[in-house]
């Protein structure tokens, strides 16, 4: 999918599935005002011109949450069309290196176990990330 073939506008977004030492995943709640406000998400953001996915994810996590992460292997790439936006989400496994997550650009932060993710309301495209995580765990007999 290219930016020219998609209306409404298209955004390429790097997304982090950040794991801590207790095998919990970091999610954050979007600010109430704005697009999809109040929904939970896996943190990340728009890829800047000339930036790799990995550089984008590290930068966005530092800007939004104030922590340092290690960007690991690719999990899934999702193309999804909302009524107002087309997105390509490129999702990587990440590990918390240093820092305590801060609510710099979000409303709330939560560390959750994989099986508890369904208790939170995410934007529609995120359901594919959760499904990919669960499938991976089942495949690896985690």
């Amino acid at each position: 999918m290219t930016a020219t073939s998609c209306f409404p506008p298209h955004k390429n977004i790097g997304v982090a599935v950040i794991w801590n030492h207790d095998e919990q995943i970091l999610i954050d709640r979007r600010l109430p005002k704005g697009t999809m406000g109040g929904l939970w998400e896996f943190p990340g953001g728009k890829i800047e011109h000339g930036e790799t996915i990995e550089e984008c994810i590290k930068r966005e996590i530092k800007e939004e949450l104030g922590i340092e992460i290690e960007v690991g292997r690719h999990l899934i790439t999702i193309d999804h069309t909302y009524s107002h936006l087309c997105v390509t989400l490129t999702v990587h496994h990440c590990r918390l290196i240093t820092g305590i997550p801060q609510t710099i650009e979000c409303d709330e932060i939560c560390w959750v176990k994989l099986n508890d993710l369904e208790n939170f309301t995410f934007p529609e495209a995120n359901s594919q990330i959760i499904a990919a995580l669960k499938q991976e765990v089942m495949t690896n007999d985690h």
Side-chain angles (χ1 to χ4, degrees):
M1 178 180 298
T2 64
T4 57
S5 67
C6 192
F7 181 83
H10 180 262
K11 287 187 181 177
N12 285 308
I13 299 179
V15 178
V17 175
I18 303 170
W19 297 86
N20 67 13
H21 296 296
D22 295 323
E23 294 303 315
Q24 294 172 310
I25 299 168
L26 183 68
I27 59 174
D28 65 68
R29 188 193 298 261
R30 297 173 71 96
L31 293 169
K33 293 181 180 175
T35 307
M36 295 183 266
L39 297 179
W40 290 88
E41 67 180 357
F42 298 97
K46 188 175 173 214
I47 299 167
E48 302 289 342
H49 182 71
E51 198 174 44
T52 67
I53 295 285
E54 293 83 0
E55 289 167 342
C56 164
I57 292 171
K58 283 186 87 151
R59 176 185 52 76
E60 286 285 346
I61 299 311
K62 182 69 174 170
E63 289 174 4
E64 293 181 6
L65 301 169
I67 58 174
E68 298 286 339
I69 60 166
E70 175 185 22
V71 179
R73 64 188 166 75
H74 176 257
L75 172 66
I76 190 173
T77 298
I78 299 163
D79 286 309
H80 187 83
T81 303
Y82 294 101
S83 62
H84 63 286
L85 180 69
C86 292
V87 293
T88 298
L89 305 177
T90 303
V91 186
H92 280 258
H93 286 284
C94 300
R95 280 264 169 214
L96 175 64
I97 301 297
T98 59
I100 297 170
Q102 309 293 313
T103 54
I104 298 168
E105 293 186 16
C106 61
D107 200 38
E108 193 176 343
I109 296 168
C110 190
W111 288 103
V112 298
K113 291 285 189 185
L114 177 59
N115 289 335
D116 293 330
L117 287 173
E118 60 239 18
N119 298 328
F120 297 85
T121 305
F122 287 86
E124 191 178 329
N126 284 243
S127 63
Q128 293 178 63
I129 300 171
I130 296 168
L133 285 166
K134 290 185 175 187
Q135 179 64 40
E136 193 175 81
V137 168
M138 287 173 37
T139 303
N140 294 333
D141 287 322
H142 212 82

